[in-house]
Structure formats: structure tokens, C-alpha cells
Amino acid sequence: MSDMNISYDEKTRIFKLDTARTSYLIGIVDDEGFIGHVYYGKIISDSSASYLMRTGEAPFVPSQNSRDRSSFFDAFPMEFPSCNTGDYRESAIELLDARGHNGVEIVYQAHRILKGKPGLSGLPATFGGETECMTLEIDGMDKVLGLKVTLRYSIFEDVDVVARSVSVKNMSEESFFLTRLMSASIDMDQEDYRLLTLHGSWARERHMESREIGCGKTSVGSTRGESSHQEHPFMALVSETAAQERGSVYGFHFIYSGNFIAQVERTQFDSLRVQMGIHPKNFCYQVKPGEVFQAPEVILTYSDEGLGGMSRTLHDLYRNHLIRSPYKDKKRPILINNWEATYFNFNTEKLLDIAREARKAGIEMLVMDDGWFGRRNDDNTSLGDWKVNEEKLKGGLKPLVDQVNRIGLKFGIWFEPEMVSPDSDLYRTHPDWAIAIPGRTPCRSRNQFVLDLTRREVLEYVYNSVAEVLHSANIEYVKWDMNRQLTDLGSLYLGRENQGELSHRYVLAVYELQERLIKEFPDLLLENCSGGGARFDPGMLYYSPQIWCSDDTDAIERLVIQEGTALIYPLSAIGAHVSDCPNHTVGRSTPFSTRGNVALAGTFGYELDITKISEEDKAQIPEQVALYHRYNDLVREGDYYRIASYRQNHFYDCWAVVSKDKKEALVTFVQVLRRPNHHSRMIKLKGLNPEMRYKVCEGTNPDEGVGCVYYGDTLMNAGIPMEEMWGDCQSRLIFLAAEGSGV
Ligand code: DGJ
């Protein structure tokens, strides 16, 4: 018997969507046809709970009390709030109709309950088969405008998630211009929720921040053309009393890689209106008669097991229902990337030297980063000229790749396909291909411009440039980078009425490019990247199973960045490498072993000149490679538990990954600061089976260093001691294997 169900009660006119542990209820108000939000949260049994909409209280519904229609609208919990007809809270939709008016009022028209989940045309979205998910579609209509809105809700058999999206169809004879369309809007009571968001900057992505929800509107967003380093398309309402493994958490995550807004509005009645969608700034999208505009998907999840419950749900959702790559369930080749090793200063010999040493240490793939094309000897030139620089790579790319393959490594390559350097043949030939406002000198960033991908010929040029290189040699991995954000939003291709579509069309074009790429090269391992992690979002995960997390590779900085990232993304998606010290971003020196242990909580790889590092460090690489091979299945597929946070305690960090059958666990402990004159810390583990007995050991071989055997409840309730290690930035890996599990 499935836990997932969608029902419609004809009598009460309530839709009820149930997952194993959550319920989502929507109600239709009699006579009026308004679509109300009834409930979202921990599972409830009644499908007749329309009292939750409070229509039996003053000011009553307009059919009973039309003089106070505005009072009703301004308080009623709307499922998809209209605009300019009495509800002064934020609208889910705004537009300019043919007469220049902005008024929308949606009432229920029809619904369908479907097995499975339809895809969203041109957009990334979660997916699942007919036995894995169900979908409710509710059509609403504004008869005055001739506008049909379809609200879509999908639920899943295996995760407590509601995936919500909306499309708008123009059924009239005239165009209208959408100026705001939220993919999800929820009205709920403010109890004791705080707002948790992820914010940052270059080299400081996804730091967790929690704040009180004051009256009025509080939002985070991006208007930079990508999801951005600065804010993240995620927010959570976290009960004040919630902790890592207990208490109420509502998570909202946007499957989109462009401009977004995530907003909470606390109203005069102490209710909250929570919204997520494309940022309305610079958004003005023409919908012609008969056309449909599809908004991206928002993931809603409720956990009564604190932040940890939300993390594990999102990890499972993305691993099972979003990432499509054939690498999703596989160990990725351990790569060595030459960026921090050489920057732009390399040639075939240098790369082959790196490859030979890497091979000896057990590394499996060489990735050639920026600088292999045009005259790209620094970051001022040649983006767009995707022709091999034969001064650096004598004889071209194929001989290099063949030699790397002969050494025994796979080969990967870097591109930044969306960009053009002013100093490039491409720009000299097609200056009009860059995004710019005519008459203005466009703003340079890293001395480059962004290509206008809304133009078909530009998109074709970009795609063919990349594909040609990939066809020219045995290239098995691509790092797709984007090193600047959008400004000067003007397209010489789009008409006057369509300039407000540029940012969204740009994102759709990136999706189209990557979709074509993975279709034409189905075995390619694609890693997205944007000046580090500025486009680390669920949208990109639909195309690539991993994303470069941050340009900050310092192991200690990474603790905070990876904590924020792992809050909502599976470890299998987090690009993490061991780099050289002093660290190139912060100048800190940390033990090689700690850099390795932190990178093991991601895709794992190296970003250093292996021909130059100390023999002592180099000698550790084969050990780390062995750790990766021993533990990566567990790290990739297991359940993630956050045990302690250096961000909060300022001394140490600790997390664990527990296998789904609870027979294995890997605990990573990082002592950032040594505390003098201090006894061992008792670390209470999480997620184990209280009744299983676990062997506790360190290192690659579980039979080595078995200190003791304890029940799961002892390890979770009493804990295991972590003795102070000598010096700062030290770390330990502890492996637990259930007795008799054969591990
Ligand atoms: C930014 C990336 O995050 C780096 O890893 C590197 O690829 C540079 N771009 C190259 O320009």
C-alpha cells in the first residue's frame, strides 16, 4: 500500500496530497470558486479540514458579505494570490494587459489527478515514473482577461516533497505581458519561525544565516542572471525550538539557474505569505494569444526531524528524481585539475609531467583548465575563439589526449562557452553578439562580455564550437564555467517589446545548450562551475551530476561552505579538491590529510602541481585514493548527518554519512583549533541502528585499529571520545561497521 496519495473530496471540495509524513491541502470556496490554501505540514488524517481556511469567521466570504470584499481578500489564505483586487499582500501574478491594466483574479475551473509527472518544456524539473509519483493539476481562470492558470503539484512515493509549478495560457485575442509570476506561494500562520537562507560571495558561497521574520517583507534574491554567489534560491522556515534532528522545518528550493526571489511577508494578522519564483526585476514577458508561459519548479518539503530531516529528503530527491547523468550512481574518476597548478602557464610537456606523476599516485583523470585556446595566456583575451593554441599544445589537442590516455588517465577539458572577450576574433567579427544596450559601453567583468544566447546563430556557434572540440579527441569530462554575471540587459536580436525576456531566455538557452551536449555525448561527465559556485543550483544538477562548489579550496573555509551546501545538496554533487598550501585564496596552511578528509565529503580530486609538492604530501595521495575507493559508495549514497558545526562552536566540525541499511557509517571530525588543557570531546553519533553493534575503527582497513565494539544506542546517546590532536586543523576519519554485516 503506497504512502503517496492525492484525493479530492467532492463534498468539502478539498484536495489532499499525502506523502509518507506530510499533507498538503487545497480548498475551493463554494460559490466564489477561490482556490484557498488549507494546510501544509506534518501528516493529518482529515480531508475535510476546510475550517482551516477560516471562511466561517468575519469578514466572511464575499457572497455573504460583499461590502467587506477587500477585508476578505486581504486575509484569506490564497493558493495563488491574485493582484489588484483587494489583497494587498504580495501577488503571485502581475501583468500588463492590452489596455495597460494590471488586475488578475483567478477562480477554480477544473482539475486532473495524474499518475506520474509531466515534464516542464525547456526547463529542468524533478521526474519519476507512474508508480513513483502523482500529479494534481488545477486549472484556474480569469474570465475578464481570458487567462488560464494551471497549478501543478507532484508528490513522490519515497520522499516528503511537493514539487510545485505554474503555467499561464493566454486564451484571449490580445497579448499580455507578465511582470511577475511566482512558482509557489503559501499562506500560513507565523508560529515561531525564523528564516534560514544561504548567502555569500566569491570564495565564500552558501554560508548559513538565520534571522527573525519581522513584519513586512523579507527577501533574498538574484538579479545577476544566474543563481549567484551572493544569495541562494533556497529558504527555510525553521521553528525557533528546532534543532539539527528535531522540530519543524519548511524548505523551499527553486529549480532554476537565473534571477530569483525568495520572500516571506509577515502580515498585520501575523500570517506569513511565502513566495518563490523568477525575480520580477527586469522581467516582462510577452505571452501572445494561444501561447503558454511555463514557470520553473519549486520544491517544498516539510520535516519534523529538524534541518537534518530536510537535508536527507532533498538529498534523496535530487539523487533519485533530478540528476540524470549516467555518473549519478557511479564513482567519478579521481581527477587532477591544472588550474591552481599552472594557471595559464602550461604546455603539453607540463601537462604530461603532471599526468605521469598523477598516474603513479592512483589519480584517474587529467583536466586541462582555462588557457588552452586562442591566445589565452591571461584572462584578458580569446573567449569565444575555441581553437587550440598550438604554441602551448604542439601538434594540437588529439596528440595530447592520446598521450594522456596512453599514460593511463582519462582526459577532461574546460570551457566558458557563454562568454566573449573584447579581444577575440569572435568579438571583432560579431560585436553585436554580446549582450549590450545600444549606445552604452557595456560593463566589463574579468574583461569579458556575455554572449546573447537568445540569438539562434549565437547559440549554434557556441554549441558547434564546443562539440567540434569534443569530437576532435577522446574527451570524457567537461568543466563548464561562467565567470561573470549579466549586466547591460539589451539584446540586438529581441524586439522592443521583448527586452524584458532576455534574462529568462538566456537561462533557457543555457539549458538548451547543455541538453544538446548531454544528448550528443551521453557518456560525458559534465561538471558545472561559475567562478566557483555561483551557479550551484538544482537547475544545473539536471544537466550535470556535480558542480564545482567554490574557488576557495582551503580546508577550513570549505567546512563552512560545504556545511551550507550539504544542507540541501547530496555530497555526490559537491565538487571538492585537495589543493596546495599555503592556500591560494586565504594563505592558510593545513595538513594534507585534513585537505583530503574534507574533499572526501565531495566528488574528490586534486588541484595542485603534483610534480612540485613535497614528497611527504605526495606520499599521502595513494592513501587518500584508497580512502576514496573504500568510502565513496557510502559517501555518495548514504544519509548525511551533521553532528557539530565549526561555524557555530568555533573549534571543531563533525559530520557522518550512514548507509541506508545502517550497517556502515563514516564520521569525519575536524579539530580546527586545538584547545589546551582539555579532555576529549564526546561526539554523539546520529542515524545508527540503536540495536546494532558497531566495530569502531580508523583508516582504510576496517580490521585495522578496531578499538572497540559498541551498540548504536551507546554511540548515539553517550558518544565516542575524540581526543585532542596536536596542532590546529587536524582531522580524523572514524569508520563504523555493524558486527556480522560482513563489512
Ligand atoms: C573559475 C573556476 O572556478 C576556476 O576553477 C577556474 O576554472 C577559473 N575560472 C578559470 O578561469
Side-chain angles (χ1 to χ4, degrees):
M1 173 64 186
S2 170
D3 288 325
M4 151 187 88
N5 190 36
I6 300 181
S7 61
Y8 178 60
D9 184 328
E10 299 271 354
K11 221 165 89 220
T12 56
R13 304 189 75 189
I14 297 262
F15 297 98
K16 187 164 189 277
L17 297 86
D18 285 326
T19 65
R21 290 173 295 185
T22 65
S23 296
Y24 191 110
L25 275 71
I26 303 161
I28 311 299
V29 180
D30 273 338
D31 301 335
E32 343 276 336
F34 303 137
I35 309 169
H37 179 72
V38 180
Y39 174 80
Y40 182 41
K42 191 165 179 166
I43 194 159
I44 58 174
S45 302
D46 283 297
S47 57
S48 57
S50 51
Y51 69 91
L52 291 166
M53 287 190 286
R54 299 182 171 114
T55 46
E57 302 174 9
F60 303 107
V61 290
S63 57
Q64 290 172 36
N65 177 19
S66 81
R67 71 181 287 278
D68 292 317
R69 188 180 175 95
S70 171
S71 302
F72 171 81
F73 263 107
D74 209 17
F76 181 69
M78 279 285 186
E79 190 60 26
F80 189 71
S82 310
C83 110
N84 204 8
T85 60
D87 185 348
Y88 290 95
R89 296 166 291 176
E90 199 75 87
S91 322
I93 181 167
E94 294 197 29
L95 50 74
L96 285 178
D97 69 17
R99 277 151 296 282
H101 296 138
N102 174 24
V104 188
E105 195 173 297
I106 305 289
V107 294
Y108 169 84
Q109 195 188 36
H111 74 267
R112 295 164 294 282
I113 296 173
L114 318 168
K115 282 185 187 162
K117 181 174 189 291
L120 302 187
S121 171
L123 285 165
T126 53
F127 55 81
E130 293 204 342
T131 54
E132 295 172 309
C133 30
M134 288 179 82
T135 299
L136 166 67
E137 294 184 342
I138 302 178
D139 294 334
M141 194 69 198
D142 182 318
K143 290 216 168 93
V144 177
L145 288 170
L147 175 152
K148 183 166 109 176
V149 165
T150 301
L151 307 177
R152 279 194 193 83
Y153 306 82
S154 295
I155 54 169
F156 299 80
E157 174 64 34
D158 56 338
V159 279
D160 291 302
V161 158
V162 178
R164 201 177 149 178
S165 68
V166 56
S167 60
V168 171
K169 181 165 187 186
N170 185 349
M171 318 267 283
S172 77
E173 303 291 309
E174 290 164 309
S175 289
F176 57 77
F177 291 84
L178 279 173
T179 55
R180 179 183 182 89
L181 185 65
M182 292 296 105
S183 295
S185 182
I186 289 227
D187 287 347
M188 56 194 274
D189 287 352
Q190 163 65 330
E191 291 169 16
D192 61 345
Y193 295 108
R194 292 174 64 81
L195 179 65
L196 173 70
T197 55
L198 299 172
H199 79 109
S201 184
W202 173 78
R204 255 194 291 119
E205 296 90 339
R206 291 173 295 286
H207 284 215
M208 291 164 68
E209 187 182 75
S210 161
R211 70 186 93 165
E212 199 179 320
I213 304 174
C215 293
K217 293 167 193 161
T218 309
S219 70
V220 294
S222 165
T223 55
R224 296 167 183 265
E226 61 172 352
S227 42
S228 89
H229 299 99
Q230 287 75 13
E231 310 289 352
H232 201 71
F234 161 82
M235 67 182 150
L237 301 184
V238 182
S239 169
E240 208 156 31
T241 51
Q244 195 59 42
E245 299 301 331
R246 67 178 153 75
S248 284
V249 177
Y250 289 89
F252 302 82
H253 206 180
F254 200 24
I255 305 193
Y256 188 60
S257 310
N259 296 344
F260 74 90
I261 186 162
Q263 180 172 289
V264 185
E265 179 177 7
R266 182 167 169 181
T267 74
Q268 56 184 327
F269 305 118
D270 250 348
S271 61
L272 300 179
R273 175 162 286 176
V274 187
Q275 295 194 331
M276 189 170 257
I278 293 177
H279 202 296
K281 187 174 173 200
N282 296 323
F283 177 74
C284 183
Y285 212 100
Q286 184 179 29
V287 186
K288 294 185 183 145
E291 282 184 354
V292 175
F293 181 87
Q294 175 65 58
E297 184 167 271
V298 170
I299 298 303
L300 283 70
T301 182
Y302 171 80
S303 153
D304 70 343
E305 291 175 5
L307 291 175
M310 176 188 71
S311 301
R312 289 184 290 279
T313 298
L314 291 176
H315 292 189
D316 284 345
L317 176 77
Y318 297 149
R319 287 183 295 202
N320 300 338
H321 301 286
L322 182 67
I323 302 173
R324 300 174 294 169
S325 165
Y327 278 95
K328 165 172 87 140
D329 301 319
K330 287 192 198 147
K331 253 196 282 172
R332 321 284 155 79
I334 301 175
L335 67 82
I336 185 160
N337 177 305
N338 75 310
W339 178 242
E340 289 196 22
T342 64
Y343 295 100
F344 296 98
N345 186 17
F346 63 87
N347 56 23
T348 299
E349 287 69 47
K350 179 72 209 170
L351 293 175
L352 291 176
D353 285 347
I354 292 177
R356 281 186 207 99
E357 277 307 306
R359 167 71 180 159
K360 284 190 225 155
I363 293 169
E364 298 159 320
M365 178 160 71
L366 174 74
V367 175
M368 178 172 69
D369 209 281
D370 195 355
W372 56 267
F373 53 93
R375 289 177 293 103
R376 184 103 168 147
N377 295 320
D378 58 34
D379 59 8
N380 287 306
T381 173
S382 298
L383 292 169
D385 298 344
W386 299 108
K387 297 281 175 246
V388 173
N389 177 337
E390 296 213 12
E391 279 172 30
K392 284 181 175 176
L393 307 185
K394 296 243 160 35
L397 192 56
K398 186 158 180 355
L400 167 66
V401 178
D402 288 346
Q403 272 177 280
V404 170
N405 287 169
R406 273 198 293 276
I407 290 169
L409 267 64
K410 294 173 187 290
F411 187 87
I413 198 167
W414 175 98
F415 283 101
E416 196 178 359
E418 300 156 62
M419 300 293 153
V420 61
S421 303
D423 178 13
S424 65
D425 292 342
L426 181 66
Y427 190 73
R428 279 183 285 274
T429 320
H430 297 291
D432 53 329
W433 281 15
I435 290 177
I437 297 175
R440 292 189 185 279
T441 308
C443 173
R444 294 183 185 206
S445 178
R446 209 192 192 204
N447 213 356
Q448 62 196 57
F449 298 139
V450 184
L451 286 169
D452 180 2
L453 298 177
T454 67
R455 252 174 119 138
R456 197 32 54 183
E457 61 205 307
V458 179
L459 187 133
E460 291 302 325
Y461 172 84
V462 166
Y463 184 76
N464 292 331
S465 305
V466 174
E468 205 177 298
V469 173
L470 296 188
H471 279 302
S472 74
N474 182 28
I475 298 170
E476 299 182 68
Y477 161 106
V478 163
K479 177 176 175 189
W480 181 303
D481 203 349
M482 181 207 191
N483 282 305
R484 67 155 291 179
Q485 302 172 325
L486 274 60
T487 58
D488 304 278
L489 295 176
S491 163
L492 287 172
Y493 163 74
L494 294 171
R496 179 178 170 276
E497 296 191 313
N498 307 103
Q499 293 294 325
E501 300 171 11
L502 177 58
S503 299
H504 180 58
R505 283 182 181 272
Y506 179 87
V507 177
L508 295 181
V510 172
Y511 291 153
E512 184 181 332
L513 283 168
Q514 296 206 356
E515 183 71 29
R516 268 171 83 173
L517 194 70
I518 59 174
K519 287 267 149 58
E520 187 172 348
F521 302 93
D523 297 325
L524 186 74
L525 173 56
L526 181 62
E527 174 154 0
N528 268 290
C529 169
S530 177
R535 210 161 53 181
F536 199 126
D537 58 59
M540 298 320 286
L541 281 185
Y542 191 63
Y543 305 93
S544 67
Q546 60 194 58
I547 305 175
W548 183 229
C549 182
S550 175
D551 276 348
D552 195 335
T553 51
D554 171 65
I556 303 307
E557 288 289 308
R558 275 293 184 117
L559 295 178
V560 180
I561 297 170
Q562 291 184 195
E563 181 190 3
T565 308
L567 177 74
I568 49 179
Y569 296 100
L571 304 188
S572 60
I574 301 177
H577 297 166
V578 177
S579 63
D580 201 7
C581 279
N583 178 268
H584 293 198
T585 306
V586 294
R588 184 186 281 122
S589 289
T590 52
F592 200 77
S593 56
T594 295
R595 283 175 260 157
N597 289 343
V598 173
L600 282 169
T603 54
F604 194 70
Y606 292 87
E607 184 110 5
L608 41 72
D609 188 345
I610 194 170
T611 67
K612 287 198 180 142
I613 58 171
S614 71
E615 287 302 320
E616 200 189 337
D617 284 356
K618 206 190 317 183
Q620 292 185 52
I621 296 181
E623 291 166 31
Q624 293 180 340
V625 165
L627 287 169
Y628 172 80
H629 288 302
R630 174 69 188 84
Y631 295 128
N632 183 257
D633 286 350
L634 173 57
V635 169
R636 227 181 39 248
E637 294 165 8
D639 285 332
Y640 169 82
Y641 289 86
R642 171 59 50 181
I643 295 173
S645 166
Y646 156 64
R647 176 181 57 84
Q648 288 176 319
N649 65 36
H650 309 302
F651 278 100
Y652 62 100
D653 211 58
C654 186
W655 66 89
V657 184
V658 181
S659 62
K660 292 275 178 196
D661 64 7
K662 300 201 178 287
K663 289 184 177 164
E664 286 186 82
L666 182 68
V667 182
T668 310
F669 178 87
V670 182
Q671 172 190 289
V672 180
L673 290 180
R674 182 186 159 88
R675 214 171 192 188
N677 192 22
H678 197 259
H679 56 65
S680 60
R681 284 192 176 84
M682 217 49 84
I683 294 293
K684 295 182 180 173
L685 303 187
K686 293 176 178 170
L688 305 178
N689 181 337
E691 288 161 18
M692 277 184 187
R693 283 166 59 79
Y694 292 91
K695 292 186 282 181
V696 181
C697 34
E698 269 185 72
T700 35
N701 181 354
D703 293 327
E704 242 173 46
V706 179
C708 34
V709 179
Y710 291 114
Y711 277 106
D713 60 4
T714 308
L715 297 167
M716 291 193 290
N717 300 332
I720 52 172
M722 293 285 177
E723 278 170 28
E724 284 289 319
M725 292 171 270
W726 181 248
D728 293 341
C729 309
Q730 305 295 322
S731 62
R732 288 173 70 184
L733 288 181
I734 309 282
F735 180 65
L736 309 179
E739 258 190 346
S741 62
V743 179

